[in-house]
């Protein structure tokens, strides 16, 4: 999964950029001139994105792809400038869909479209810090892969995204909001790892060792052996284990 970093809203100097747009935003941009697009994507100080850098390619792409900002809709503009490899437009849907969950879903749609870049950014300026943190959560969960046993997968087939910047007006507050969500993302990744491991690898003993590692987080972990399981009446589990060389 990529490293998450929060940064002030500014035009990236390299890599990929994702812009999350509502239907109202997309409608207001369709067919407008470059200056109008610049005003919308860079409210206030105009530091997020200068459309002049890509010669108005976004306005043209919105029209050519009939991009309306519908929830889950995407549009990718390749090599829009000399520095950016691609700009990904992702629809947020209607204003009512502009929620933390909606941000997670939109960021999740953006990640696979930027997977070939080592560095990418998702712009969420003008949105609450909590929304920026949820965008990071959605991106992190979508980037998860269990590829431990994909021994024949070539390097070119693997995602290359190592760093994902979340561009936001209040990056310090967004980073603070991200802390508990980052713990959630790590927990989800652990659960997915455990669910994906084959049983000849994730034996009861191995499962116990991985759970014991959670004590580093301050958790108390108790591992029950056959005698303890018998005492508390977990005989069905003990019966299943009788078919294995591994004890319950």
């Amino acid at each position: 999964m990529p490293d998450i970093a929060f940064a002030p809203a500014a035009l990236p100097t390299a890599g990929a950029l994702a812009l999350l747009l509502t239907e109202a935003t997309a409608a207001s941009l369709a067919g407008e001139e470059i200056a109008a697009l610049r005003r919308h994507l860079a409210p206030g100080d105009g530091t997020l994105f200068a459309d002049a850098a890509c010669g108005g390619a976004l306005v043209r792409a919105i029209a050519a792809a009939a991009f309306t900002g519908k929830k889950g809709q995407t549009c990718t503009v390749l090599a829009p400038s000399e520095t950016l490899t691609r700009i990904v437009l992702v629809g947020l849907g209607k204003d009512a869909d502009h929620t933390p969950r909606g941000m997670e879903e939109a960021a999740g749609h953006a990640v696979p479209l930027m997977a070939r870049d080592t560095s990418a950014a998702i712009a969420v300026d003008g949105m609450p810090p909590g929304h920026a943190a949820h965008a990071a959560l959605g991106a992190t969960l979508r980037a998860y892969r269990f590829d431990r046993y994909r021994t024949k997968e070539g390097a070119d087939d693997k995602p290359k995204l190592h760093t994902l910047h979340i561009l936001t007006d209040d990056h310090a507050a967004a980073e603070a909001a991200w802390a508990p969500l980052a713990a959630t993302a790590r927990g989800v990744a652990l659960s997915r790892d455990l669910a994906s491991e084959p049983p000849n690898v994730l034996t009861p003993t191995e499962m116990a060792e991985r759970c014991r590692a959670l004590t580093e987080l301050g958790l108390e972990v108790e591992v029950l052996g056959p005698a303890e399981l018998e005492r508390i009446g977990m005989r069905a589990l003990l019966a299943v284990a009788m078919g294995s060389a591994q004890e319950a």
Side-chain angles (χ1 to χ4, degrees), residues 180-204:
L181 296 180
T184 298
R186 291 194 297 272
V188 170
L190 173 62
S191 299
R192 290 174 173 176
D193 285 347
L194 296 176
S196 300
E197 287 283 14
N200 63 318
V201 173
L202 193 65
T203 62

Side-chain angles (χ1 to χ4, degrees), residues 9-244:
L11 176 66
T13 56
L17 172 65
L19 302 174
L20 313 183
L21 307 178
T22 63
E23 290 182 11
T25 299
S28 69
L29 298 178
E32 291 190 6
E33 297 299 326
I34 293 174
L37 179 62
R38 184 185 303 118
R39 284 197 302 273
H40 188 88
L41 295 181
D45 60 5
T47 58
L48 173 59
F49 185 79
D51 187 53
C54 61
L58 294 188
V59 169
R60 295 193 297 270
I62 287 174
F67 180 83
T68 63
K70 182 180 178 180
K71 189 174 183 179
Q73 186 182 20
T74 63
C75 175
T76 301
V77 184
L78 297 175
S81 70
E82 293 182 358
T83 57
L84 293 174
T85 58
R86 72 198 72 227
I87 295 176
V88 177
L89 307 178
V90 181
L92 283 170
K94 301 184 183 301
D95 290 341
D97 298 324
H98 187 199
T99 62
R101 178 58 182 270
M103 297 297 292
E104 292 176 17
E105 294 174 348
H109 287 306
V111 165
L113 300 177
M114 303 187 294
R116 297 190 64 83
D117 293 274
T118 58
S119 178
I122 298 178
V124 293
D125 67 314
M127 302 178 189
H131 281 46
H134 278 275
L137 176 61
T140 301
L141 295 180
R142 182 61 180 84
Y144 171 86
R145 294 177 89 235
F146 187 81
D147 54 6
R148 185 169 301 162
Y149 305 112
R150 296 186 184 184
T151 57
K152 296 183 179 180
E153 187 177 48
D156 291 339
D157 298 324
K158 294 180 180 292
K160 298 177 175 59
L161 186 58
H162 295 310
T163 304
L164 180 63
H165 292 88
I166 308 297
L167 308 180
T168 175
D169 297 326
D170 192 346
H171 61 281
E175 188 168 4
W178 165 240
L181 296 180
T184 298
R186 291 194 297 272
V188 170
L190 173 62
S191 299
R192 290 174 173 176
D193 285 347
L194 296 176
S196 300
E197 287 283 14
N200 63 318
V201 173
L202 193 65
T203 62
T205 301
E206 176 65 17
M207 180 71 168
E209 291 305 314
R210 296 195 188 189
C211 288
R212 282 194 178 102
L214 297 176
T215 58
E216 297 178 359
L217 301 177
L219 298 179
E220 293 183 5
V221 177
E222 182 182 5
V223 178
L224 305 181
E228 293 84 3
L229 295 173
E230 175 71 30
R231 187 172 62 252
I232 63 177
M234 297 187 70
R235 295 181 179 85
L237 179 60
L238 288 168
V240 171
M242 291 177 67
S244 171

